[in-house]
Amino acid sequence: MNSLLSVILRRLKLVEAEEETEKPKREAMHGRHAPPPAAPNSVVFIMLRRMRAPLLVLILSYAIAVLGMTLMPGVDAEGRPTPGMSIFHAFYFISYTATTIGFGELPHAFSDAQRAWATVSIYLTVIAWVYGIGNILTLVQDPDMRREIRAGRFRRQVGRLRQPFYLICGCGETGSLLLRALDARNQQAVVMDIDTARINALELGQYHIDTPALVADARRPESLIDAGLFSPYCTAVIALTNDDQANLAVAMTVKLLRPRLPVLCRADTLEVAANMASFGSNQIINPFEVFGEHLAMALNSPGQYLLYEWLTGVPGTPLIQPLKAPAGKWLVCGYGRFGKAVVRNLQWEGLKLTIVEAEPEKTGCPNCIRGSGTEADTLLAAGITEATGIVCGTDHDINNLSIAMTARQLNPGLFIVVRQNRDSNLSLFQHFDAHITMQPSRIIAQEFFSLLTTPLHSRFLSLARNQGDAWAYELISRIIGLVSDTVPEIWDLRLSRRQIGIWQLLHEGWQINLGELLREPPDRETRLPCVPLLLSREKEEWLLPDDATILQPGDRILFCARPGTRSRLIKVLRDRNLLTYVLTGLDVPGGTVWRWLHKRQRQAAAMAPKIEQAP
């Protein structure tokens, strides 16, 4: 009995310790904030304002008609003169007459004066009703009214959410890709965009999860509040509009209203990125800089580039093949924000570059070859025949394809990198089959998706860039052994109380190393098809931790695995008996009472020989 009580007390202490550990994190996640005051019902306000005149006309017409009927002298059933109707009878008659129901002359036949006034009342009230109904139809089609009805429905949808969600501001190319990735992972999102066509396209899209979406200006704090900024289930805000000032306004609003809420921003210029960083935006991604970095990595660190592509692709899709970009002379067509970032990164890698730009005065490139690059003369003047590679990086997809096709005709052995701006042109780029096709929106969506869903993933990629190509190729060979020719699944895991099995064993003093954990549940001699990429423990990190690493409560581990492995490992971690079998090979009984009885039985069995040997 003492053993049972000690088990219960130890369990209670574990629960209390967990609560104390999680409480500051919940506060950090949700932040201490005051809920905003309830907004007035704008739909009712608009209805009252727009229908005020029709209602007054209708009430006045009824009042005149009822008053007139009470003043008109009538006759009784025998034809003798009587006073006018009572107010009740007059209102009753006008009510069914004005609505064209027409019960006849009640309570008895009318006098000529009453019939004359009834005729006036019919035209008066019917005209009032026509006027009122016309205003109602106009009100239903009023853009302000429809927008408020839609906003009200959106607010109710957001208010009913009872699961963590991401607030995405901007649903262009990048936002749509990010939303599809989150939807594929069954993660809730709330979307707002200033473009009605984008929201309509979102509502017509095929998603597993119903995503609340609203046409609204994200720069307005009221829009963010309507979208659930103060909701305790809002876990992060992502500013992805194509307007730097709008993204800056979103970041500023979030940091002022909910300073502890993570905000991830897109910034197209270095100045805006520095501004966002100055007040503590959590993650800022410049698509052009990221694109330039990836291109430089592809040219000079093909192993790192291949590893990045494999670990950020869609699980289950074919792996891209390794490419080796040649050194030598390169041409860069287009010197806007994108071209400048590419040139800056390639110059850091020591490549010899020639820039082709249609408007060198406007973009600040006095030494450029003037021209768009779509003409053969311009490319020949830039030295296309001596070049080993070309970057077609204008902001126009057709021009980029035209440059690439012309360059390939002039120099068939050229290494071609093409920028794809719009996802709708994917089939054209696939048909052209450049050596590298880079889509900035896809790269940014991958970056944000990685930061949102597996924070350790982004950290691992950052650490991996500091390793050499040899290290990357060794890891690539291990990944090939897992998944053969498809993109692996990347996920991270925290040894928290949710993984109750291993949580209990670790707190009971079990020494569990990482290698013992990665065993198939049915056959513990078979290793799970996964590679631990990174282990994070408080402020310490281990890249590619080995099997002998001893685990501790709270450890976070990033895995690269064959699709479907995650569910098997989590099942083991949450089932104490299954985990015990995986670790020891022993099939122990389940439940606290049964484990206590089993322990008592084992103790009794151990004591039996000693009792028999006693004199």
Side-chain angles (χ1 to χ4, degrees), residues 180-210:
R180 281 201 289 270
L182 291 174
D183 182 72
R185 203 180 167 92
N186 291 324
Q187 291 187 304
Q188 182 71 55
V190 173
V191 177
M192 68 164 56
D193 196 293
I194 201 169
D195 190 340
T196 305
R198 291 176 180 173
I199 295 298
N200 291 338
L202 172 66
E203 293 177 346
L204 294 175
Q206 295 181 350
Y207 295 94
H208 299 94
I209 299 177
D210 185 18

mmCIF file of all heavy atoms in Angstrom, residues 180-210:
data_model
loop_
_atom_site.group_PDB
_atom_site.id
_atom_site.type_symbol
_atom_site.label_atom_id
_atom_site.label_comp_id
_atom_site.label_asym_id
_atom_site.label_seq_id
_atom_site.Cartn_x
_atom_site.Cartn_y
_atom_site.Cartn_z
ATOM 1 N N ARG A 180 -1.619 26.478 -48.436
ATOM 2 C CA ARG A 180 -1.777 25.093 -48.885
ATOM 3 C C ARG A 180 -0.893 24.146 -48.067
ATOM 4 O O ARG A 180 -1.310 23.037 -47.722
ATOM 5 C CB ARG A 180 -1.439 24.983 -50.371
ATOM 6 C CG ARG A 180 -2.558 25.457 -51.290
ATOM 7 C CD ARG A 180 -2.396 24.869 -52.688
ATOM 8 N NE ARG A 180 -1.276 25.449 -53.381
ATOM 9 C CZ ARG A 180 -1.353 26.539 -54.144
ATOM 10 N NH1 ARG A 180 -2.512 27.137 -54.288
ATOM 11 N NH2 ARG A 180 -0.289 27.019 -54.744
ATOM 12 N N ALA A 181 0.316 24.601 -47.758
ATOM 13 C CA ALA A 181 1.211 23.757 -46.959
ATOM 14 C C ALA A 181 0.652 23.545 -45.551
ATOM 15 O O ALA A 181 0.693 22.430 -45.020
ATOM 16 C CB ALA A 181 2.595 24.391 -46.893
ATOM 17 N N LEU A 182 0.106 24.610 -44.949
ATOM 18 C CA LEU A 182 -0.482 24.467 -43.612
ATOM 19 C C LEU A 182 -1.717 23.582 -43.653
ATOM 20 O O LEU A 182 -1.949 22.766 -42.758
ATOM 21 C CB LEU A 182 -0.844 25.852 -43.060
ATOM 22 C CG LEU A 182 0.327 26.774 -42.715
ATOM 23 C CD1 LEU A 182 -0.174 28.154 -42.328
ATOM 24 C CD2 LEU A 182 1.157 26.184 -41.570
ATOM 25 N N ASP A 183 -2.517 23.742 -44.711
ATOM 26 C CA ASP A 183 -3.730 22.934 -44.832
ATOM 27 C C ASP A 183 -3.377 21.456 -44.979
ATOM 28 O O ASP A 183 -4.044 20.592 -44.402
ATOM 29 C CB ASP A 183 -4.533 23.425 -46.039
ATOM 30 C CG ASP A 183 -5.828 22.663 -46.210
ATOM 31 O OD1 ASP A 183 -6.747 22.885 -45.394
ATOM 32 O OD2 ASP A 183 -5.925 21.833 -47.127
ATOM 33 N N ALA A 184 -2.317 21.182 -45.748
ATOM 34 C CA ALA A 184 -1.902 19.784 -45.896
ATOM 35 C C ALA A 184 -1.465 19.193 -44.567
ATOM 36 O O ALA A 184 -1.507 17.974 -44.376
ATOM 37 C CB ALA A 184 -0.766 19.689 -46.914
ATOM 38 N N ARG A 185 -1.057 20.013 -43.648
ATOM 39 C CA ARG A 185 -0.623 19.555 -42.324
ATOM 40 C C ARG A 185 -1.742 19.664 -41.297
ATOM 41 O O ARG A 185 -1.529 19.487 -40.114
ATOM 42 C CB ARG A 185 0.575 20.404 -41.883
ATOM 43 C CG ARG A 185 1.470 19.776 -40.858
ATOM 44 C CD ARG A 185 2.600 20.727 -40.522
ATOM 45 N NE ARG A 185 3.314 20.324 -39.330
ATOM 46 C CZ ARG A 185 4.384 19.562 -39.310
ATOM 47 N NH1 ARG A 185 4.870 19.125 -40.435
ATOM 48 N NH2 ARG A 185 4.982 19.253 -38.176
ATOM 49 N N ASN A 186 -2.965 19.984 -41.777
ATOM 50 C CA ASN A 186 -4.144 20.119 -40.911
ATOM 51 C C ASN A 186 -3.945 21.183 -39.838
ATOM 52 O O ASN A 186 -4.334 21.000 -38.681
ATOM 53 C CB ASN A 186 -4.502 18.778 -40.254
ATOM 54 C CG ASN A 186 -5.012 17.776 -41.249
ATOM 55 O OD1 ASN A 186 -5.706 18.139 -42.204
ATOM 56 N ND2 ASN A 186 -4.679 16.520 -41.052
ATOM 57 N N GLN A 187 -3.327 22.278 -40.224
ATOM 58 C CA GLN A 187 -3.127 23.379 -39.289
ATOM 59 C C GLN A 187 -3.999 24.557 -39.709
ATOM 60 O O GLN A 187 -4.005 24.961 -40.868
ATOM 61 C CB GLN A 187 -1.659 23.783 -39.237
ATOM 62 C CG GLN A 187 -0.812 22.693 -38.568
ATOM 63 C CD GLN A 187 0.621 23.121 -38.349
ATOM 64 O OE1 GLN A 187 1.301 23.506 -39.284
ATOM 65 N NE2 GLN A 187 1.076 23.031 -37.124
ATOM 66 N N GLN A 188 -4.725 25.089 -38.753
ATOM 67 C CA GLN A 188 -5.709 26.134 -39.009
ATOM 68 C C GLN A 188 -5.032 27.473 -39.308
ATOM 69 O O GLN A 188 -3.987 27.802 -38.737
ATOM 70 C CB GLN A 188 -6.620 26.274 -37.799
ATOM 71 C CG GLN A 188 -7.710 27.298 -37.957
ATOM 72 C CD GLN A 188 -8.778 26.877 -38.930
ATOM 73 O OE1 GLN A 188 -9.358 25.825 -38.799
ATOM 74 N NE2 GLN A 188 -9.023 27.713 -39.930
ATOM 75 N N ALA A 189 -5.638 28.226 -40.205
ATOM 76 C CA ALA A 189 -5.141 29.570 -40.520
ATOM 77 C C ALA A 189 -6.332 30.492 -40.710
ATOM 78 O O ALA A 189 -7.449 30.049 -40.990
ATOM 79 C CB ALA A 189 -4.276 29.559 -41.774
ATOM 80 N N VAL A 190 -6.096 31.776 -40.509
ATOM 81 C CA VAL A 190 -7.072 32.835 -40.791
ATOM 82 C C VAL A 190 -6.399 33.797 -41.760
ATOM 83 O O VAL A 190 -5.239 34.171 -41.554
ATOM 84 C CB VAL A 190 -7.483 33.565 -39.499
ATOM 85 C CG1 VAL A 190 -8.360 34.767 -39.812
ATOM 86 C CG2 VAL A 190 -8.209 32.606 -38.561
ATOM 87 N N VAL A 191 -7.111 34.173 -42.823
ATOM 88 C CA VAL A 191 -6.488 34.922 -43.913
ATOM 89 C C VAL A 191 -7.211 36.241 -44.125
ATOM 90 O O VAL A 191 -8.443 36.301 -44.034
ATOM 91 C CB VAL A 191 -6.518 34.087 -45.217
ATOM 92 C CG1 VAL A 191 -5.933 34.891 -46.378
ATOM 93 C CG2 VAL A 191 -5.742 32.802 -45.033
ATOM 94 N N MET A 192 -6.446 37.289 -44.407
ATOM 95 C CA MET A 192 -7.032 38.550 -44.857
ATOM 96 C C MET A 192 -6.173 39.114 -45.983
ATOM 97 O O MET A 192 -4.957 38.932 -46.020
ATOM 98 C CB MET A 192 -7.162 39.564 -43.722
ATOM 99 C CG MET A 192 -5.869 40.092 -43.188
ATOM 100 S SD MET A 192 -6.118 41.582 -42.207
ATOM 101 C CE MET A 192 -7.268 40.997 -41.014
ATOM 102 N N ASP A 193 -6.866 39.742 -46.934
ATOM 103 C CA ASP A 193 -6.177 40.347 -48.071
ATOM 104 C C ASP A 193 -7.028 41.508 -48.552
ATOM 105 O O ASP A 193 -8.262 41.491 -48.443
ATOM 106 C CB ASP A 193 -5.986 39.322 -49.192
ATOM 107 C CG ASP A 193 -4.949 39.772 -50.206
ATOM 108 O OD1 ASP A 193 -5.192 40.765 -50.933
ATOM 109 O OD2 ASP A 193 -3.887 39.144 -50.256
ATOM 110 N N ILE A 194 -6.372 42.500 -49.093
ATOM 111 C CA ILE A 194 -7.102 43.682 -49.550
ATOM 112 C C ILE A 194 -7.732 43.463 -50.922
ATOM 113 O O ILE A 194 -8.593 44.228 -51.345
ATOM 114 C CB ILE A 194 -6.142 44.888 -49.582
ATOM 115 C CG1 ILE A 194 -6.930 46.196 -49.549
ATOM 116 C CG2 ILE A 194 -5.229 44.828 -50.780
ATOM 117 C CD1 ILE A 194 -6.062 47.402 -49.314
ATOM 118 N N ASP A 195 -7.319 42.400 -51.611
ATOM 119 C CA ASP A 195 -7.811 42.108 -52.958
ATOM 120 C C ASP A 195 -8.988 41.134 -52.892
ATOM 121 O O ASP A 195 -8.840 39.997 -52.440
ATOM 122 C CB ASP A 195 -6.662 41.511 -53.791
ATOM 123 C CG ASP A 195 -7.033 41.421 -55.262
ATOM 124 O OD1 ASP A 195 -8.236 41.441 -55.583
ATOM 125 O OD2 ASP A 195 -6.106 41.340 -56.096
ATOM 126 N N THR A 196 -10.154 41.586 -53.382
ATOM 127 C CA THR A 196 -11.342 40.728 -53.350
ATOM 128 C C THR A 196 -11.157 39.478 -54.203
ATOM 129 O O THR A 196 -11.616 38.388 -53.825
ATOM 130 C CB THR A 196 -12.559 41.524 -53.857
ATOM 131 O OG1 THR A 196 -12.685 42.717 -53.087
ATOM 132 C CG2 THR A 196 -13.833 40.723 -53.729
ATOM 133 N N ALA A 197 -10.500 39.618 -55.356
ATOM 134 C CA ALA A 197 -10.325 38.469 -56.253
ATOM 135 C C ALA A 197 -9.528 37.352 -55.567
ATOM 136 O O ALA A 197 -9.825 36.167 -55.741
ATOM 137 C CB ALA A 197 -9.617 38.914 -57.524
ATOM 138 N N ARG A 198 -8.544 37.716 -54.771
ATOM 139 C CA ARG A 198 -7.745 36.687 -54.084
ATOM 140 C C ARG A 198 -8.573 35.945 -53.040
ATOM 141 O O ARG A 198 -8.467 34.729 -52.895
ATOM 142 C CB ARG A 198 -6.532 37.335 -53.420
ATOM 143 C CG ARG A 198 -5.496 37.856 -54.396
ATOM 144 C CD ARG A 198 -4.385 38.560 -53.668
ATOM 145 N NE ARG A 198 -3.370 39.067 -54.573
ATOM 146 C CZ ARG A 198 -2.353 39.829 -54.201
ATOM 147 N NH1 ARG A 198 -2.238 40.174 -52.922
ATOM 148 N NH2 ARG A 198 -1.475 40.249 -55.069
ATOM 149 N N ILE A 199 -9.399 36.697 -52.312
ATOM 150 C CA ILE A 199 -10.234 36.044 -51.302
ATOM 151 C C ILE A 199 -11.268 35.151 -51.966
ATOM 152 O O ILE A 199 -11.541 34.035 -51.497
ATOM 153 C CB ILE A 199 -10.915 37.109 -50.420
ATOM 154 C CG1 ILE A 199 -9.854 37.885 -49.623
ATOM 155 C CG2 ILE A 199 -11.906 36.463 -49.467
ATOM 156 C CD1 ILE A 199 -9.037 37.046 -48.673
ATOM 157 N N ASN A 200 -11.835 35.620 -53.087
ATOM 158 C CA ASN A 200 -12.788 34.776 -53.811
ATOM 159 C C ASN A 200 -12.113 33.505 -54.317
ATOM 160 O O ASN A 200 -12.693 32.415 -54.271
ATOM 161 C CB ASN A 200 -13.391 35.554 -54.969
ATOM 162 C CG ASN A 200 -14.306 36.668 -54.504
ATOM 163 O OD1 ASN A 200 -14.815 36.628 -53.384
ATOM 164 N ND2 ASN A 200 -14.514 37.668 -55.336
ATOM 165 N N ALA A 201 -10.892 33.649 -54.828
ATOM 166 C CA ALA A 201 -10.156 32.467 -55.292
ATOM 167 C C ALA A 201 -9.874 31.504 -54.136
ATOM 168 O O ALA A 201 -9.944 30.285 -54.301
ATOM 169 C CB ALA A 201 -8.841 32.895 -55.942
ATOM 170 N N LEU A 202 -9.610 32.068 -52.965
ATOM 171 C CA LEU A 202 -9.361 31.225 -51.787
ATOM 172 C C LEU A 202 -10.620 30.452 -51.402
ATOM 173 O O LEU A 202 -10.565 29.265 -51.078
ATOM 174 C CB LEU A 202 -8.894 32.104 -50.626
ATOM 175 C CG LEU A 202 -8.773 31.430 -49.262
ATOM 176 C CD1 LEU A 202 -7.677 30.388 -49.303
ATOM 177 C CD2 LEU A 202 -8.489 32.451 -48.180
ATOM 178 N N GLU A 203 -11.764 31.121 -51.453
ATOM 179 C CA GLU A 203 -13.008 30.448 -51.072
ATOM 180 C C GLU A 203 -13.394 29.367 -52.063
ATOM 181 O O GLU A 203 -14.096 28.415 -51.720
ATOM 182 C CB GLU A 203 -14.123 31.486 -50.954
ATOM 183 C CG GLU A 203 -13.909 32.455 -49.781
ATOM 184 C CD GLU A 203 -14.971 33.518 -49.708
ATOM 185 O OE1 GLU A 203 -15.709 33.673 -50.705
ATOM 186 O OE2 GLU A 203 -15.058 34.196 -48.674
ATOM 187 N N LEU A 204 -12.950 29.514 -53.316
ATOM 188 C CA LEU A 204 -13.253 28.503 -54.326
ATOM 189 C C LEU A 204 -12.228 27.376 -54.329
ATOM 190 O O LEU A 204 -12.416 26.370 -55.015
ATOM 191 C CB LEU A 204 -13.305 29.147 -55.713
ATOM 192 C CG LEU A 204 -14.444 30.151 -55.946
ATOM 193 C CD1 LEU A 204 -14.302 30.805 -57.303
ATOM 194 C CD2 LEU A 204 -15.800 29.475 -55.817
ATOM 195 N N GLY A 205 -11.130 27.552 -53.615
ATOM 196 C CA GLY A 205 -10.080 26.537 -53.583
ATOM 197 C C GLY A 205 -10.496 25.310 -52.796
ATOM 198 O O GLY A 205 -11.441 25.334 -52.007
ATOM 199 N N GLN A 206 -9.780 24.217 -53.031
ATOM 200 C CA GLN A 206 -10.082 22.955 -52.359
ATOM 201 C C GLN A 206 -9.116 22.780 -51.195
ATOM 202 O O GLN A 206 -7.938 22.471 -51.392
ATOM 203 C CB GLN A 206 -9.964 21.787 -53.339
ATOM 204 C CG GLN A 206 -10.994 21.846 -54.468
ATOM 205 C CD GLN A 206 -10.875 20.680 -55.418
ATOM 206 O OE1 GLN A 206 -9.932 19.917 -55.354
ATOM 207 N NE2 GLN A 206 -11.845 20.550 -56.300
ATOM 208 N N TYR A 207 -9.629 23.003 -49.994
ATOM 209 C CA TYR A 207 -8.821 22.866 -48.782
ATOM 210 C C TYR A 207 -9.504 21.878 -47.841
ATOM 211 O O TYR A 207 -10.737 21.764 -47.829
ATOM 212 C CB TYR A 207 -8.649 24.214 -48.089
ATOM 213 C CG TYR A 207 -7.867 25.220 -48.910
ATOM 214 C CD1 TYR A 207 -8.507 26.132 -49.736
ATOM 215 C CD2 TYR A 207 -6.481 25.241 -48.855
ATOM 216 C CE1 TYR A 207 -7.790 27.048 -50.491
ATOM 217 C CE2 TYR A 207 -5.745 26.146 -49.598
ATOM 218 C CZ TYR A 207 -6.411 27.039 -50.417
ATOM 219 O OH TYR A 207 -5.693 27.936 -51.165
ATOM 220 N N HIS A 208 -8.705 21.204 -47.035
ATOM 221 C CA HIS A 208 -9.262 20.260 -46.076
ATOM 222 C C HIS A 208 -9.937 20.996 -44.923
ATOM 223 O O HIS A 208 -10.924 20.532 -44.363
ATOM 224 C CB HIS A 208 -8.156 19.359 -45.525
ATOM 225 C CG HIS A 208 -7.474 18.534 -46.567
ATOM 226 N ND1 HIS A 208 -6.320 18.943 -47.198
ATOM 227 C CD2 HIS A 208 -7.804 17.345 -47.113
ATOM 228 C CE1 HIS A 208 -5.956 18.020 -48.075
ATOM 229 N NE2 HIS A 208 -6.836 17.040 -48.052
ATOM 230 N N ILE A 209 -9.401 22.142 -44.556
ATOM 231 C CA ILE A 209 -9.888 22.890 -43.397
ATOM 232 C C ILE A 209 -10.602 24.144 -43.883
ATOM 233 O O ILE A 209 -10.149 24.805 -44.827
ATOM 234 C CB ILE A 209 -8.708 23.270 -42.474
ATOM 235 C CG1 ILE A 209 -8.025 21.993 -41.963
ATOM 236 C CG2 ILE A 209 -9.186 24.108 -41.300
ATOM 237 C CD1 ILE A 209 -6.808 22.274 -41.112
ATOM 238 N N ASP A 210 -11.722 24.446 -43.258
ATOM 239 C CA ASP A 210 -12.449 25.671 -43.578
ATOM 240 C C ASP A 210 -11.651 26.869 -43.042
ATOM 241 O O ASP A 210 -11.484 27.011 -41.838
ATOM 242 C CB ASP A 210 -13.838 25.621 -42.952
ATOM 243 C CG ASP A 210 -14.676 26.820 -43.361
ATOM 244 O OD1 ASP A 210 -14.320 27.465 -44.362
ATOM 245 O OD2 ASP A 210 -15.678 27.107 -42.678
#
